[in-house]
């Protein structure tokens, strides 16, 4: 009687809680193994488009910055082009990656960077797109690789080409350095090609920098896959093709013959001829350093005439179609100068 009463007694109040604590370590790994392996597929086209848009954005910023120095001496900004590119890349990195925001191209494609190394320790996963952003160390190394690495490599290549390391047979050290640079470039291109094949197969890590830093592109919002309209992209493609066609056809047209054909239809011939005599035929401005083209004696800017004659040895005057064989300073006593030298 007493034994049956003991068997029918209810368990202690905390028995369920104690059992839960005992079984929790066994349930947790099983739950994590099912939750953390959600397969996600990020569009490879979106990732490539994001890189292309970033390049276009950098080119637009560079074009606007170059216009600021348009009044300076021609060719002066060319020697500082690597520094200019590095400065623009640093600005984009500073106001996007460093403050946990995507770059303009990545933002338009609804993507963001995620630290792939931290995904193994995440317990609760709902869509497969969760995960922290890049760490401070990853951001700094990203800047060093993209900004500093590209600038150093561009400067090294220009310096070696200017010093003619590849043609130097008398200095074996310079020759070895040139061979080493070529081998490093070949190895990097081969590794980039291998990474491209892996990316096309797996859809992860577009370049070697992202693979080294374990910085993966994932969707910023799972409800929106693309933020760029196809209509806008088609319009850009049509305009690019049209501009390329114009660049191909314009050099084939003879501007001097067209001007001669249209000159009888001009309204004010006297005023136009007076203005034409006072301005440079190339830039249509008053010559800053006036030079005369020989033998036609028309006035030009020194830089305009010198650059045109250097680019085309058979340059003809746009006003009279006369072949320019020499140039002379306007009002000076200096002798004739061969413009092609």
């Amino acid at each position: 009687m007493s034994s049956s009463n003991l068997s029918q007694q209810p368990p202690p109040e905390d028995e369920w809680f104690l059992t839960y604590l005992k079984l929790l370590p066994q349930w947790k790994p099983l739950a994590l193994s099912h939750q953390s392996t959600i397969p996600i597929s990020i569009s490879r086209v979106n990732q490539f488009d994001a890189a292309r848009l970033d390049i276009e954005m950098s080119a637009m910023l560079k074009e606007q910055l170059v216009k600021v120095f348009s009044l300076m001496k021609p060719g002066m900004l060319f020697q500082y082009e690597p520094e200019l590119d590095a400065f623009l890349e640093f600005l984009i990195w500073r106001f996007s990656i460093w403050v946990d925001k995507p770059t303009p191209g990545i933002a338009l494609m609804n993507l963001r960077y995620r630290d792939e190394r931290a995904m193994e320790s995440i317990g609760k996963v709902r869509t497969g797109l969760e995960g922290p952003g890049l760490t401070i160390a990853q951001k700094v190394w990203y800047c060093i690789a993209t900004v500093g690495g590209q600038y150093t490599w561009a400067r090294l290549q220009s310096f070696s080409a200017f010093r003619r390391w590849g043609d130097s047979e008398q200095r074996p050290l310079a020759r070895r350095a040139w061979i080493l640079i070529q081998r490093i470039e070949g190895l990097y291109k081969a590794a980039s090609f291998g990474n491209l094949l892996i990316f096309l197969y797996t859809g992860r890590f577009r370049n070697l920098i992202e693979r080294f830093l374990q910085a993966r592109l994932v969707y910023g919002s799972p409800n929106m896959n693309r933020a760029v309209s196809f209509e806008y992209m088609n319009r850009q493609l049509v305009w690019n093709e049209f501009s390329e066609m114009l660049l191909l056809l314009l050099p084939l047209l003879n501007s001097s013959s067209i001007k001669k054909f249209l000159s009888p239809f001009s309204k004010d011939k006297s005023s136009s001829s007076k203005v034409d005599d006072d301005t440079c035929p190339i830039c249509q401005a008053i010559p800053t350093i006036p030079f005369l083209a020989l033998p036609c004696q028309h006035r030009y800017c020194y830089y305009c005439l010198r650059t045109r004659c250097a680019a085309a040895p058979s340059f003809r005057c746009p006003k009279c179609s006369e072949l320019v064989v020499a140039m002379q300073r306007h009002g000076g006593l200096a002798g004739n100068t061969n413009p092609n030298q």
Side-chain angles (χ1 to χ4, degrees):
M1 187 73 178
S2 60
S3 60
S4 61
N5 292 333
L6 291 174
S7 61
Q8 294 178 358
Q9 289 181 358
E13 295 181 359
D14 57 347
E15 185 67 24
W16 296 105
F17 182 70
L18 295 175
T19 305
Y20 169 75
L21 294 179
K22 291 179 181 179
L23 297 177
L24 182 60
Q26 301 178 7
W27 292 343
K28 192 173 181 180
L30 183 62
L32 288 178
S33 63
H34 288 288
Q35 291 180 354
S36 61
T37 57
I38 297 179
I40 58 173
S41 178
I42 309 299
S43 174
R44 297 163 178 79
V45 176
N46 282 15
Q47 298 183 58
F48 278 129
D49 287 346
R52 185 63 184 173
L53 288 172
D54 285 335
I55 295 175
E56 294 292 337
M57 181 65 66
S58 180
M60 291 174 60
L61 292 176
K62 182 178 179 180
E63 181 182 359
Q64 297 299 322
L65 189 58
V66 167
K67 289 182 179 179
V68 178
F69 304 94
S70 60
L71 299 179
M72 297 180 63
K73 181 179 178 181
M76 182 177 179
L77 197 62
F78 177 75
Q79 57 183 343
Y80 300 106
E81 188 174 1
E83 285 79 8
L84 180 61
D85 294 337
F87 175 70
L88 294 177
E89 292 294 335
F90 177 78
L91 285 182
I92 295 176
W93 170 85
R94 173 59 181 83
F95 294 102
S96 59
I97 302 296
W98 179 250
V99 293
D100 294 325
K101 292 182 179 180
T103 60
I106 294 177
L108 287 174
M109 292 293 105
N110 185 35
L111 299 172
R112 69 176 183 90
Y113 275 119
R114 183 180 73 180
D115 186 6
E116 200 69 9
R117 300 174 302 177
M119 291 305 299
E120 299 178 357
S121 59
I122 294 181
K124 186 177 181 181
V125 178
R126 295 185 297 106
T127 63
L129 301 178
E130 292 86 353
L134 302 182
T135 61
I136 296 180
Q138 287 176 316
K139 296 175 185 177
V140 173
W141 280 111
Y142 186 91
C143 178
I144 294 174
T146 56
V147 181
Q150 293 180 4
Y151 168 73
T152 304
W153 185 254
R155 269 302 176 194
L156 183 60
Q157 283 188 328
S158 61
F159 181 79
S160 60
F162 178 75
R163 295 289 182 175
R164 296 179 176 269
W165 286 0
D167 300 336
S168 179
E169 298 293 344
Q170 300 178 358
R171 294 178 296 173
L173 182 61
R175 181 66 179 178
R176 292 175 184 176
W178 175 262
I179 295 175
L180 180 61
I181 292 175
Q182 297 299 317
R183 290 181 179 178
I184 292 175
E185 185 178 5
L187 290 175
Y188 178 78
K189 290 182 178 180
S192 299
F193 179 72
N195 181 82
L196 175 62
L197 296 179
I198 297 175
F199 170 76
L200 294 177
Y201 180 75
T202 61
R204 301 170 59 183
F205 310 120
R206 298 174 300 176
N207 49 51
L208 294 176
I209 298 175
E210 294 180 357
R211 186 170 297 277
F212 174 76
L213 298 177
Q214 291 293 301
R216 185 184 180 186
L217 286 175
V218 295
Y219 289 123
S221 174
N223 300 323
M224 182 175 61
N225 293 332
R226 197 180 186 96
V228 177
S229 174
F230 283 103
E231 181 181 358
Y232 170 77
M233 296 181 66
N234 292 334
R235 187 163 59 248
Q236 287 295 109
L237 290 175
V238 172
W239 172 249
N240 288 337
E241 294 297 330
F242 181 70
S243 60
E244 290 180 1
M245 182 185 68
L246 289 180
L247 291 176
L248 177 64
L249 294 179
L250 286 178
L252 302 178
L253 300 177
N254 192 347
S255 59
S256 59
S257 61
I258 296 177
K259 289 182 179 179
K260 287 183 178 180
F261 177 77
L262 297 178
S263 59
F265 303 98
S266 60
K267 296 181 180 179
D268 192 358
K269 298 182 180 180
S270 59
S271 61
S272 62
S273 60
K274 184 177 180 180
V275 172
D276 290 343
D277 293 337
D278 295 337
T279 59
C280 173
I282 297 177
C283 63
Q284 301 300 324
I286 298 177
T288 54
I289 306 178
F291 263 71
L292 298 178
L294 300 180
C296 63
Q297 300 289 327
H298 286 123
R299 288 201 307 170
Y300 289 82
C301 296
Y302 171 74
Y303 293 110
C304 294
L305 183 59
R306 189 62 180 268
T307 53
R308 288 299 178 92
C309 292
S314 59
F315 174 70
R316 294 181 177 273
C317 179
K319 291 185 177 180
C320 60
S321 299
E322 187 74 21
L323 180 65
V324 178
V325 297
M327 53 190 295
Q328 181 183 12
R329 188 179 182 89
H330 178 67
L333 300 178
N336 297 347
T337 304
N338 189 350
N340 298 323
Q341 293 181 353

